[in-house]
Amino acid sequence: MGMVTRAKRRRQEEEERERLADRISSLPDDVLVDIVSLLPTKDGARTQVLSSMWRHLWCSAPLNLDFHDDHVGIVASDISHILSTHPGPVRRFVMPRPCHGKQYPTSTVRDGWLRSPALDNLQELQFSGDGDSLLLPSVHRFSPTLCIARFSDCSILAAGGNDAGPLHWPLLKQLTLFSVSISESSLHALLAGCPVLESLLLLYNRGLSRLQIVSRSLRSIGVHSGHNGQQLVIEDAPCLERLLYFGGTVNISVISAPRLAIFGKLFDGFPMLQFGAMVFKITRVSRKDWCTYRKLTSTLDIGLRKIVLRNYRANKSHLNLARFFVSIAKVLELMRFEIEGVNFSNKWIGKQQRLLQIKKGASRVAQFDFVFPGTLIRSHGDRRDEQVHDLSANPFHRFHY
């Protein structure tokens, strides 16, 4: 009896020393649950070995299930097991991507994941199809809670074109469509069903020859057409602040976007750009055209604050395009020229400043930076999601040597 008592006392003393040394564990359980829920799934599960006091937290913590990077080692049965054994809730669910050489889970299996009770209050979803499959009808059940969505390698038909019906997400703020087959009418219905949508990223999508944006809430748009030619028309976007072009053949028309402040990156080969009634090709802006545009500046209010010109070669076309913005952008704060194929020197910069007539520019506070690409370090990974969806970040930020 005495030995049992002493052993029990030692355990109590050890737990007391552990409690005193571990101040984190003294936090309220609801705070600890939030901490665990913010960790990657594997790390969250490992917290159970920290202390007996932490073992119950994992089972009660909201899950952050991200199988995006684990698709090589993960199998469908593992995902099904996690969703069936953990009571949830799951805040974020990132489905595995199709992997070359491996059989992708069937629509029935993926539909079963999405119907799991653990996902009842899902806030963020990254849905991956197998290339040709339709967006699963079970996605619709997240309408009351979903705030962030990314759909890839699937098909979204026009409203009424499939059994799923029109999409309606009253809380959705961020949307990415990546390699999705979608029609113009589907996109209209999609935007109409997202009344508080703030950021939209469109990458390599099919079936969209014309993107007409009408949204009272959108603040940021990013687009890459891939190999398909597209026309992007910003018809009515009163809150739009940034319009980011990532490549492909996209003719951009800005009809009504009074708050547009960030635009780029423009570079040689950019197809066509239109502000209001003025249209010009960036590779064919003659001095005569530029003078015509300048006469119309009194009728055009461009609120751009940041502009980046990539692969700037200081030829007549590039120079006239830059002068157009210098002369018309009244609230311009920064214009960055990323130099390509010229002898870069302080003397050359001085000449450019004179040719651009910076001192006669519409903005009195604008800063003009001339940057040689050799001094830039391109960021690793795909930052397009961050550039479009993180409205607090500088979308043109790149590190210097």
Side-chain angles (χ1 to χ4, degrees), residues 261-278:
I262 299 175
F263 185 43
K265 297 178 178 178
L266 308 181
F267 53 87
D268 193 24
F270 189 98
M272 185 179 291
L273 174 65
Q274 174 178 347
F275 273 93
M278 292 189 289

Side-chain angles (χ1 to χ4, degrees), residues 34-161:
D34 284 340
I35 293 174
V36 173
S37 70
L38 295 174
L39 297 173
T41 305
K42 290 181 179 179
D43 295 335
R46 293 186 181 118
T47 60
Q48 298 177 88
V49 304
L50 296 177
S51 166
S52 59
M53 301 172 62
W54 283 70
R55 289 173 188 166
H56 71 285
L57 297 175
W58 163 248
C59 294
S60 59
L63 288 182
N64 175 20
L65 296 179
D66 187 345
F67 301 105
H68 181 78
D69 295 328
D70 294 332
H71 66 278
V72 175
I74 201 76
V75 294
S77 58
D78 294 333
I79 300 176
S80 301
H81 176 72
I82 293 174
L83 290 173
S84 62
T85 57
H86 195 288
V90 176
R91 288 180 176 171
R92 181 171 182 259
F93 183 46
V94 181
M95 299 172 64
R97 297 174 300 175
C99 181
H100 180 70
K102 292 191 64 176
Q103 185 175 3
Y104 196 60
T106 64
S107 296
T108 302
V109 172
R110 286 178 278 133
D111 188 67
W113 295 343
L114 297 176
R115 295 189 185 278
S116 169
L119 302 183
D120 284 349
N121 295 302
L122 193 67
Q123 298 177 18
E124 180 176 351
L125 171 65
Q126 292 193 25
F127 176 92
S128 295
D130 56 9
D132 299 318
S133 60
L134 292 174
L135 186 67
L136 295 175
S138 48
V139 169
H140 288 256
R141 77 184 197 90
F142 306 122
S143 174
T145 59
L146 201 63
C147 298
I148 300 174
R150 178 186 176 99
F151 299 107
S152 61
D153 299 305
C154 64
S155 177
I156 302 177
L157 299 182

